[in-house]
Short mmCIF file of all heavy atoms in Angstrom, two decimals:
data_model
loop_
_atom_site.label_atom_id
_atom_site.label_comp_id
_atom_site.label_asym_id
_atom_site.label_seq_id
_atom_site.Cartn_x
_atom_site.Cartn_y
_atom_site.Cartn_z
N MET A 878 0.82 -1.19 0.00
CA MET A 878 0.00 0.00 0.00
C MET A 878 0.86 1.26 0.00
O MET A 878 0.44 2.28 -0.52
CB MET A 878 -0.95 -0.02 1.19
CG MET A 878 -1.98 -1.14 1.16
SD MET A 878 -2.90 -1.32 -0.39
CE MET A 878 -3.65 0.25 -0.57
N LYS A 879 2.06 1.16 0.57
CA LYS A 879 2.96 2.31 0.56
C LYS A 879 3.29 2.75 -0.86
O LYS A 879 3.41 3.94 -1.12
CB LYS A 879 4.25 1.98 1.30
CG LYS A 879 4.09 1.80 2.78
CD LYS A 879 5.42 1.37 3.40
CE LYS A 879 5.22 0.97 4.84
NZ LYS A 879 6.49 0.47 5.42
N ALA A 880 3.41 1.79 -1.76
CA ALA A 880 3.81 2.10 -3.14
C ALA A 880 2.74 2.87 -3.90
O ALA A 880 3.06 3.62 -4.83
CB ALA A 880 4.15 0.82 -3.88
N VAL A 881 1.48 2.73 -3.55
CA VAL A 881 0.40 3.36 -4.32
C VAL A 881 -0.37 4.44 -3.55
O VAL A 881 -1.25 5.06 -4.11
CB VAL A 881 -0.60 2.30 -4.86
CG1 VAL A 881 0.08 1.34 -5.80
CG2 VAL A 881 -1.32 1.59 -3.73
N LYS A 882 -0.02 4.68 -2.31
CA LYS A 882 -0.84 5.58 -1.49
C LYS A 882 -0.96 6.99 -2.07
O LYS A 882 -1.97 7.63 -1.87
CB LYS A 882 -0.35 5.63 -0.05
CG LYS A 882 0.90 6.39 0.18
CD LYS A 882 1.24 6.43 1.66
CE LYS A 882 2.42 7.35 1.90
NZ LYS A 882 2.67 7.51 3.31
N ASN A 883 0.03 7.48 -2.79
CA ASN A 883 -0.04 8.83 -3.36
C ASN A 883 -0.37 8.83 -4.84
O ASN A 883 -0.29 9.87 -5.49
CB ASN A 883 1.29 9.57 -3.11
CG ASN A 883 1.52 9.81 -1.64
OD1 ASN A 883 0.60 10.15 -0.90
ND2 ASN A 883 2.75 9.63 -1.21
N MET A 884 -0.75 7.70 -5.36
CA MET A 884 -1.09 7.59 -6.78
C MET A 884 -2.59 7.75 -6.99
O MET A 884 -3.37 7.76 -6.03
CB MET A 884 -0.63 6.24 -7.33
CG MET A 884 0.85 6.07 -7.36
SD MET A 884 1.26 4.47 -8.10
CE MET A 884 3.03 4.61 -8.18
N ASP A 885 -2.96 7.83 -8.25
CA ASP A 885 -4.36 7.91 -8.63
C ASP A 885 -5.14 6.78 -7.94
O ASP A 885 -4.65 5.65 -7.87
CB ASP A 885 -4.45 7.75 -10.16
CG ASP A 885 -5.85 8.00 -10.68
OD1 ASP A 885 -6.73 7.15 -10.42
OD2 ASP A 885 -6.06 9.02 -11.34
N PRO A 886 -6.34 7.05 -7.42
CA PRO A 886 -7.11 6.01 -6.71
C PRO A 886 -7.51 4.83 -7.58
O PRO A 886 -7.94 3.80 -7.07
CB PRO A 886 -8.34 6.76 -6.19
CG PRO A 886 -8.40 8.04 -6.94
CD PRO A 886 -7.00 8.34 -7.41
N ARG A 887 -7.35 4.96 -8.90
CA ARG A 887 -7.64 3.83 -9.78
C ARG A 887 -6.50 2.81 -9.77
O ARG A 887 -6.63 1.73 -10.33
CB ARG A 887 -7.92 4.31 -11.19
CG ARG A 887 -9.21 5.13 -11.29
CD ARG A 887 -9.37 5.73 -12.64
NE ARG A 887 -8.32 6.74 -12.81
CZ ARG A 887 -8.11 7.42 -13.93
NH1 ARG A 887 -8.86 7.22 -14.99
NH2 ARG A 887 -7.14 8.32 -14.00
N MET A 888 -5.40 3.15 -9.12
CA MET A 888 -4.27 2.22 -8.98
C MET A 888 -4.58 1.36 -7.75
O MET A 888 -4.60 1.85 -6.62
CB MET A 888 -2.96 2.99 -8.77
CG MET A 888 -1.76 2.11 -8.63
SD MET A 888 -1.33 1.22 -10.12
CE MET A 888 -0.68 2.54 -11.12
N GLY A 889 -4.87 0.10 -7.99
CA GLY A 889 -5.28 -0.77 -6.90
C GLY A 889 -4.45 -2.01 -6.79
O GLY A 889 -3.31 -2.07 -7.28
N CYS A 890 -5.01 -3.02 -6.15
CA CYS A 890 -4.27 -4.25 -5.93
C CYS A 890 -5.20 -5.46 -5.96
O CYS A 890 -6.42 -5.33 -5.89
CB CYS A 890 -3.51 -4.21 -4.61
SG CYS A 890 -4.55 -4.18 -3.15
N CYS A 891 -4.57 -6.60 -6.07
CA CYS A 891 -5.25 -7.89 -5.99
C CYS A 891 -4.57 -8.65 -4.86
O CYS A 891 -3.36 -8.84 -4.88
CB CYS A 891 -5.10 -8.66 -7.30
SG CYS A 891 -5.70 -10.37 -7.19
N ILE A 892 -5.31 -9.06 -3.88
CA ILE A 892 -4.75 -9.84 -2.78
C ILE A 892 -4.91 -11.32 -3.09
O ILE A 892 -6.01 -11.79 -3.36
CB ILE A 892 -5.41 -9.48 -1.44
CG1 ILE A 892 -4.97 -8.08 -1.02
CG2 ILE A 892 -5.06 -10.51 -0.37
CD1 ILE A 892 -5.49 -7.63 0.31
N ASP A 893 -3.80 -12.02 -3.07
CA ASP A 893 -3.78 -13.48 -3.19
C ASP A 893 -3.75 -14.00 -1.75
O ASP A 893 -2.74 -13.84 -1.06
CB ASP A 893 -2.55 -13.93 -3.97
CG ASP A 893 -2.48 -15.43 -4.17
OD1 ASP A 893 -2.65 -16.16 -3.17
OD2 ASP A 893 -2.24 -15.87 -5.30
N VAL A 894 -4.85 -14.58 -1.30
CA VAL A 894 -4.94 -14.97 0.11
C VAL A 894 -3.90 -16.03 0.50
O VAL A 894 -3.41 -16.03 1.63
CB VAL A 894 -6.36 -15.42 0.51
CG1 VAL A 894 -7.35 -14.28 0.35
CG2 VAL A 894 -6.82 -16.64 -0.28
N GLY A 895 -3.53 -16.90 -0.42
CA GLY A 895 -2.52 -17.91 -0.12
C GLY A 895 -1.15 -17.30 0.09
O GLY A 895 -0.46 -17.60 1.06
N HIS A 896 -0.75 -16.40 -0.82
CA HIS A 896 0.55 -15.74 -0.68
C HIS A 896 0.58 -14.88 0.58
O HIS A 896 1.59 -14.84 1.29
CB HIS A 896 0.85 -14.87 -1.89
CG HIS A 896 1.07 -15.63 -3.15
ND1 HIS A 896 2.00 -16.63 -3.29
CD2 HIS A 896 0.46 -15.52 -4.35
CE1 HIS A 896 1.96 -17.10 -4.52
NE2 HIS A 896 1.02 -16.46 -5.19
N THR A 897 -0.52 -14.20 0.86
CA THR A 897 -0.60 -13.33 2.03
C THR A 897 -0.43 -14.15 3.30
O THR A 897 0.33 -13.79 4.20
CB THR A 897 -1.93 -12.57 2.04
OG1 THR A 897 -2.05 -11.84 0.81
CG2 THR A 897 -2.02 -11.60 3.19
N ALA A 898 -1.13 -15.27 3.39
CA ALA A 898 -1.04 -16.13 4.58
C ALA A 898 0.36 -16.73 4.72
O ALA A 898 0.92 -16.76 5.81
CB ALA A 898 -2.08 -17.24 4.51
N ARG A 899 0.94 -17.19 3.61
CA ARG A 899 2.29 -17.77 3.67
C ARG A 899 3.33 -16.75 4.08
O ARG A 899 4.34 -17.08 4.67
CB ARG A 899 2.67 -18.39 2.32
CG ARG A 899 2.25 -19.82 2.18
CD ARG A 899 3.01 -20.55 1.10
NE ARG A 899 3.15 -19.82 -0.14
CZ ARG A 899 2.29 -19.87 -1.15
NH1 ARG A 899 1.23 -20.62 -1.08
NH2 ARG A 899 2.50 -19.17 -2.24
N ALA A 900 3.08 -15.48 3.78
CA ALA A 900 4.01 -14.41 4.15
C ALA A 900 3.90 -14.07 5.63
O ALA A 900 4.68 -13.28 6.15
CB ALA A 900 3.75 -13.17 3.30
N GLY A 901 2.91 -14.66 6.30
CA GLY A 901 2.74 -14.42 7.73
C GLY A 901 1.86 -13.22 8.06
O GLY A 901 1.73 -12.84 9.21
N ALA A 902 1.24 -12.64 7.04
CA ALA A 902 0.35 -11.50 7.26
C ALA A 902 -1.06 -11.98 7.60
O ALA A 902 -1.47 -13.08 7.20
CB ALA A 902 0.31 -10.62 6.02
N ASP A 903 -1.78 -11.17 8.32
CA ASP A 903 -3.17 -11.45 8.63
C ASP A 903 -3.99 -11.11 7.38
O ASP A 903 -4.03 -9.93 6.97
CB ASP A 903 -3.61 -10.60 9.82
CG ASP A 903 -5.05 -10.83 10.23
OD1 ASP A 903 -5.95 -10.76 9.36
OD2 ASP A 903 -5.28 -11.06 11.42
N VAL A 904 -4.62 -12.08 6.76
CA VAL A 904 -5.35 -11.88 5.50
C VAL A 904 -6.48 -10.87 5.68
O VAL A 904 -6.64 -9.95 4.87
CB VAL A 904 -5.89 -13.22 4.95
CG1 VAL A 904 -6.74 -12.98 3.71
CG2 VAL A 904 -4.76 -14.18 4.65
N VAL A 905 -7.26 -11.01 6.74
CA VAL A 905 -8.40 -10.11 6.96
C VAL A 905 -7.90 -8.69 7.17
O VAL A 905 -8.45 -7.73 6.60
CB VAL A 905 -9.26 -10.59 8.14
CG1 VAL A 905 -10.36 -9.59 8.47
CG2 VAL A 905 -9.86 -11.96 7.85
N GLN A 906 -6.85 -8.51 7.95
CA GLN A 906 -6.30 -7.17 8.19
C GLN A 906 -5.75 -6.58 6.89
O GLN A 906 -5.92 -5.39 6.63
CB GLN A 906 -5.21 -7.21 9.27
CG GLN A 906 -4.65 -5.85 9.61
CD GLN A 906 -5.70 -4.90 10.17
OE1 GLN A 906 -6.64 -5.30 10.84
NE2 GLN A 906 -5.55 -3.62 9.87
N SER A 907 -5.11 -7.39 6.09
CA SER A 907 -4.57 -6.92 4.81
C SER A 907 -5.69 -6.43 3.89
O SER A 907 -5.55 -5.41 3.21
CB SER A 907 -3.78 -8.03 4.11
OG SER A 907 -2.66 -8.38 4.88
N ILE A 908 -6.81 -7.15 3.89
CA ILE A 908 -7.97 -6.73 3.09
C ILE A 908 -8.51 -5.41 3.61
O ILE A 908 -8.82 -4.50 2.84
CB ILE A 908 -9.04 -7.84 3.08
CG1 ILE A 908 -8.54 -9.02 2.24
CG2 ILE A 908 -10.38 -7.32 2.58
CD1 ILE A 908 -9.38 -10.27 2.33
N ARG A 909 -8.60 -5.28 4.93
CA ARG A 909 -9.08 -4.02 5.52
C ARG A 909 -8.16 -2.86 5.15
O ARG A 909 -8.61 -1.77 4.81
CB ARG A 909 -9.16 -4.14 7.05
CG ARG A 909 -10.33 -4.92 7.53
CD ARG A 909 -10.43 -4.83 9.05
NE ARG A 909 -11.53 -5.64 9.52
CZ ARG A 909 -11.42 -6.64 10.38
NH1 ARG A 909 -10.24 -6.95 10.91
NH2 ARG A 909 -12.46 -7.34 10.73
N GLU A 910 -6.84 -3.09 5.24
CA GLU A 910 -5.88 -2.03 4.93
C GLU A 910 -5.93 -1.62 3.46
O GLU A 910 -5.73 -0.45 3.15
CB GLU A 910 -4.47 -2.49 5.30
CG GLU A 910 -4.25 -2.56 6.79
CD GLU A 910 -2.90 -3.17 7.17
OE1 GLU A 910 -2.07 -3.45 6.28
OE2 GLU A 910 -2.69 -3.37 8.38
N ALA A 911 -6.20 -2.55 2.58
CA ALA A 911 -6.30 -2.23 1.15
C ALA A 911 -7.50 -1.33 0.88
O ALA A 911 -7.46 -0.48 0.00
CB ALA A 911 -6.37 -3.50 0.32
N GLY A 912 -8.57 -1.54 1.63
CA GLY A 912 -9.75 -0.69 1.52
C GLY A 912 -10.26 -0.56 0.10
O GLY A 912 -10.41 -1.53 -0.63
N SER A 913 -10.46 0.68 -0.32
CA SER A 913 -11.04 0.93 -1.64
C SER A 913 -10.07 0.63 -2.78
O SER A 913 -10.46 0.61 -3.94
CB SER A 913 -11.50 2.39 -1.75
OG SER A 913 -10.39 3.26 -1.61
N ARG A 914 -8.82 0.36 -2.46
CA ARG A 914 -7.85 0.00 -3.50
C ARG A 914 -7.84 -1.50 -3.80
O ARG A 914 -7.15 -1.94 -4.70
CB ARG A 914 -6.45 0.46 -3.11
CG ARG A 914 -6.31 1.97 -3.15
CD ARG A 914 -4.87 2.36 -3.12
NE ARG A 914 -4.69 3.78 -3.06
CZ ARG A 914 -4.39 4.55 -4.10
NH1 ARG A 914 -4.27 4.02 -5.30
NH2 ARG A 914 -4.22 5.84 -3.96
N LEU A 915 -8.61 -2.26 -3.07
CA LEU A 915 -8.70 -3.69 -3.34
C LEU A 915 -9.69 -3.92 -4.48
O LEU A 915 -10.88 -3.72 -4.35
CB LEU A 915 -9.17 -4.45 -2.09
CG LEU A 915 -9.29 -5.96 -2.25
CD1 LEU A 915 -7.95 -6.58 -2.57
CD2 LEU A 915 -9.88 -6.58 -1.00
N PHE A 916 -9.14 -4.33 -5.62
CA PHE A 916 -9.96 -4.52 -6.81
C PHE A 916 -10.29 -5.99 -7.07
O PHE A 916 -11.30 -6.29 -7.68
CB PHE A 916 -9.28 -3.94 -8.04
CG PHE A 916 -9.09 -2.44 -7.99
CD1 PHE A 916 -8.16 -1.84 -8.80
CD2 PHE A 916 -9.84 -1.64 -7.15
CE1 PHE A 916 -7.98 -0.46 -8.78
CE2 PHE A 916 -9.67 -0.27 -7.11
CZ PHE A 916 -8.73 0.33 -7.93
N ASN A 917 -9.43 -6.89 -6.64
CA ASN A 917 -9.62 -8.32 -6.87
C ASN A 917 -9.05 -9.12 -5.72
O ASN A 917 -8.13 -8.67 -5.04
CB ASN A 917 -8.90 -8.77 -8.15
CG ASN A 917 -9.51 -8.19 -9.39
OD1 ASN A 917 -10.63 -8.50 -9.73
ND2 ASN A 917 -8.77 -7.34 -10.07
N VAL A 918 -9.60 -10.32 -5.52
CA VAL A 918 -9.09 -11.26 -4.53
C VAL A 918 -8.90 -12.59 -5.23
O VAL A 918 -9.80 -13.08 -5.90
CB VAL A 918 -10.05 -11.42 -3.34
CG1 VAL A 918 -9.53 -12.46 -2.36
CG2 VAL A 918 -10.27 -10.10 -2.62
N HIS A 919 -7.70 -13.15 -5.11
CA HIS A 919 -7.42 -14.46 -5.67
C HIS A 919 -7.57 -15.47 -4.54
O HIS A 919 -6.75 -15.53 -3.62
CB HIS A 919 -6.00 -14.48 -6.23
CG HIS A 919 -5.61 -15.79 -6.83
ND1 HIS A 919 -4.41 -15.98 -7.45
CD2 HIS A 919 -6.24 -16.99 -6.91
CE1 HIS A 919 -4.31 -17.23 -7.87
NE2 HIS A 919 -5.42 -17.85 -7.55
N MET A 920 -8.64 -16.24 -4.58
CA MET A 920 -8.95 -17.20 -3.52
C MET A 920 -8.25 -18.52 -3.78
O MET A 920 -8.21 -19.00 -4.91
CB MET A 920 -10.45 -17.45 -3.42
CG MET A 920 -11.24 -16.24 -3.01
SD MET A 920 -10.78 -15.57 -1.40
CE MET A 920 -11.17 -16.92 -0.33
N LYS A 921 -7.68 -19.07 -2.74
CA LYS A 921 -7.11 -20.41 -2.78
C LYS A 921 -7.06 -20.91 -1.36
O LYS A 921 -7.23 -20.16 -0.41
CB LYS A 921 -5.72 -20.43 -3.41
CG LYS A 921 -4.63 -19.76 -2.59
CD LYS A 921 -3.23 -20.01 -3.13
CE LYS A 921 -3.03 -19.24 -4.40
NZ LYS A 921 -1.63 -19.19 -4.84
N ASP A 922 -6.84 -22.18 -1.21
CA ASP A 922 -6.71 -22.79 0.11
C ASP A 922 -5.41 -23.59 0.10
O ASP A 922 -4.97 -24.07 -0.94
CB ASP A 922 -7.90 -23.70 0.41
CG ASP A 922 -8.19 -23.82 1.90
OD1 ASP A 922 -7.31 -23.47 2.71
OD2 ASP A 922 -9.29 -24.29 2.24
N LEU A 923 -4.80 -23.69 1.24
CA LEU A 923 -3.52 -24.39 1.38
C LEU A 923 -3.61 -25.43 2.47
O LEU A 923 -4.20 -25.19 3.53
CB LEU A 923 -2.41 -23.39 1.75
CG LEU A 923 -2.22 -22.22 0.79
CD1 LEU A 923 -1.31 -21.18 1.43
CD2 LEU A 923 -1.64 -22.71 -0.52
N ALA A 924 -3.01 -26.57 2.25
CA ALA A 924 -2.94 -27.60 3.29
C ALA A 924 -1.89 -27.21 4.31
O ALA A 924 -1.97 -27.59 5.48
CB ALA A 924 -2.61 -28.96 2.67
N SER A 925 -0.88 -26.43 3.90
CA SER A 925 0.21 -26.01 4.78
C SER A 925 0.63 -24.60 4.41
O SER A 925 0.85 -24.30 3.24
CB SER A 925 1.41 -26.95 4.62
OG SER A 925 2.56 -26.40 5.22
N PHE A 926 0.78 -23.74 5.40
CA PHE A 926 1.22 -22.37 5.15
C PHE A 926 2.72 -22.31 4.84
O PHE A 926 3.24 -21.29 4.43
CB PHE A 926 0.91 -21.46 6.32
CG PHE A 926 -0.57 -21.22 6.52
CD1 PHE A 926 -1.10 -21.16 7.79
CD2 PHE A 926 -1.42 -21.07 5.45
CE1 PHE A 926 -2.45 -20.93 7.99
CE2 PHE A 926 -2.78 -20.84 5.63
CZ PHE A 926 -3.29 -20.78 6.92
N GLN A 927 3.43 -23.41 5.04
CA GLN A 927 4.87 -23.44 4.81
C GLN A 927 5.24 -23.90 3.39
O GLN A 927 6.36 -23.71 2.96
CB GLN A 927 5.57 -24.37 5.81
CG GLN A 927 5.70 -23.77 7.21
CD GLN A 927 4.38 -23.67 7.94
OE1 GLN A 927 3.60 -24.61 7.96
NE2 GLN A 927 4.10 -22.51 8.51
N SER A 928 4.31 -24.51 2.68
CA SER A 928 4.62 -25.07 1.37
C SER A 928 3.76 -24.45 0.28
O SER A 928 2.53 -24.54 0.32
CB SER A 928 4.40 -26.59 1.37
OG SER A 928 4.52 -27.11 0.06
N LYS A 929 4.41 -23.84 -0.72
CA LYS A 929 3.63 -23.26 -1.81
C LYS A 929 3.08 -24.33 -2.74
O LYS A 929 2.29 -24.05 -3.62
CB LYS A 929 4.45 -22.23 -2.58
CG LYS A 929 5.66 -22.77 -3.28
CD LYS A 929 6.38 -21.62 -3.96
CE LYS A 929 7.64 -22.07 -4.64
NZ LYS A 929 8.31 -20.96 -5.29
N GLU A 930 3.49 -25.56 -2.56
CA GLU A 930 3.00 -26.68 -3.37
C GLU A 930 1.80 -27.38 -2.72
O GLU A 930 1.40 -28.44 -3.16
CB GLU A 930 4.13 -27.70 -3.58
CG GLU A 930 5.38 -27.11 -4.19
CD GLU A 930 5.16 -26.44 -5.53
OE1 GLU A 930 4.33 -26.94 -6.32
OE2 GLU A 930 5.79 -25.41 -5.78
N SER A 931 1.22 -26.79 -1.66
CA SER A 931 0.18 -27.46 -0.90
C SER A 931 -1.23 -26.98 -1.23
O SER A 931 -2.14 -27.15 -0.43
CB SER A 931 0.44 -27.28 0.59
OG SER A 931 0.19 -25.95 0.98
N GLN A 932 -1.42 -26.40 -2.39
CA GLN A 932 -2.74 -25.88 -2.76
C GLN A 932 -3.76 -27.02 -2.85
O GLN A 932 -3.49 -28.06 -3.46
CB GLN A 932 -2.66 -25.13 -4.07
CG GLN A 932 -3.92 -24.37 -4.39
CD GLN A 932 -3.71 -23.38 -5.53
OE1 GLN A 932 -2.62 -22.87 -5.72
NE2 GLN A 932 -4.76 -23.13 -6.27
N VAL A 933 -4.91 -26.79 -2.25
CA VAL A 933 -6.03 -27.76 -2.28
C VAL A 933 -7.30 -26.99 -2.63
O VAL A 933 -7.30 -25.76 -2.67
CB VAL A 933 -6.18 -28.47 -0.91
CG1 VAL A 933 -4.96 -29.33 -0.61
CG2 VAL A 933 -6.42 -27.50 0.22
N ALA A 934 -8.37 -27.70 -2.86
CA ALA A 934 -9.66 -27.07 -3.16
C ALA A 934 -10.08 -26.18 -2.00
O ALA A 934 -9.87 -26.51 -0.83
CB ALA A 934 -10.72 -28.12 -3.42
N VAL A 935 -10.66 -25.01 -2.32
CA VAL A 935 -11.11 -24.08 -1.30
C VAL A 935 -12.07 -24.80 -0.36
O VAL A 935 -13.02 -25.45 -0.80
CB VAL A 935 -11.77 -22.84 -1.94
CG1 VAL A 935 -12.37 -21.94 -0.89
CG2 VAL A 935 -10.75 -22.06 -2.78
N GLY A 936 -11.80 -24.68 0.92
CA GLY A 936 -12.62 -25.32 1.95
C GLY A 936 -12.02 -26.60 2.49
O GLY A 936 -12.46 -27.11 3.51
N GLU A 937 -10.97 -27.10 1.84
CA GLU A 937 -10.35 -28.36 2.27
C GLU A 937 -9.01 -28.17 2.96
O GLU A 937 -8.38 -29.14 3.36
CB GLU A 937 -10.17 -29.29 1.06
CG GLU A 937 -11.47 -29.75 0.47
CD GLU A 937 -11.30 -30.71 -0.67
OE1 GLU A 937 -10.16 -31.12 -0.96
OE2 GLU A 937 -12.33 -31.03 -1.32
N GLY A 938 -8.56 -26.94 3.12
CA GLY A 938 -7.23 -26.70 3.68
C GLY A 938 -7.25 -25.91 4.97
O GLY A 938 -8.28 -25.79 5.64
N ALA A 939 -6.10 -25.34 5.29
CA ALA A 939 -5.90 -24.64 6.55
C ALA A 939 -6.52 -23.23 6.56
O ALA A 939 -6.71 -22.66 7.63
CB ALA A 939 -4.41 -24.53 6.82
N MET A 940 -6.84 -22.66 5.41
CA MET A 940 -7.38 -21.29 5.37
C MET A 940 -8.74 -21.20 6.05
O MET A 940 -9.09 -20.15 6.56
CB MET A 940 -7.53 -20.82 3.92
CG MET A 940 -6.23 -20.73 3.14
SD MET A 940 -5.10 -19.48 3.75
CE MET A 940 -5.94 -18.01 3.28
N CYS A 941 -9.48 -22.26 6.06
CA CYS A 941 -10.85 -22.22 6.60
C CYS A 941 -10.95 -22.78 8.01
O CYS A 941 -12.04 -22.92 8.54
CB CYS A 941 -11.78 -23.01 5.68
SG CYS A 941 -11.92 -22.27 4.05
N ARG A 942 -9.85 -23.07 8.61
CA ARG A 942 -9.90 -23.61 9.99
C ARG A 942 -9.78 -22.54 11.00
O ARG A 942 -9.30 -21.51 10.86
CB ARG A 942 -8.77 -24.62 10.19
CG ARG A 942 -8.97 -25.83 9.35
CD ARG A 942 -7.91 -26.86 9.63
NE ARG A 942 -8.02 -27.85 8.56
CZ ARG A 942 -6.99 -28.47 8.04
NH1 ARG A 942 -5.79 -28.26 8.48
NH2 ARG A 942 -7.16 -29.33 7.09
#
């Protein structure tokens, strides 16, 4: 958000919930902080927050627990 805060409000972001969780950030807080600049959300679920190869069907992994 620091990179776009002084730019045109049409400059937004897409939050990938899997990448956000693996980075150790709070996904819900990150969405709140993005506010009106959040244009898209890439939904995925992960069996493990430590492995980027652990993608599973949404609802079957650790994101929903």
Side-chain angles (χ1 to χ4, degrees):
M878 295 311 302
K879 291 176 190 176
V881 298
K882 75 177 187 174
N883 294 320
M884 293 183 174
D885 188 289
R887 293 173 292 176
M888 180 67 72
C890 66
C891 171
I892 290 183
D893 181 311
V894 297
H896 293 305
T897 304
R899 272 200 315 271
D903 180 309
V904 175
V905 174
Q906 183 61 33
S907 296
I908 289 171
R909 284 187 183 122
E910 289 173 6
S913 62
R914 290 195 184 260
L915 180 62
F916 296 160
N917 293 294
V918 177
H919 180 176
M920 295 300 298
K921 69 170 72 168
D922 208 344
L923 303 168
S925 167
F926 292 141
Q927 285 70 47
S928 172
K929 64 181 178 180
E930 305 302 324
S931 71
Q932 190 167 330
V933 295
V935 174
E937 294 182 6
M940 298 294 289
C941 295
R942 293 184 193 144

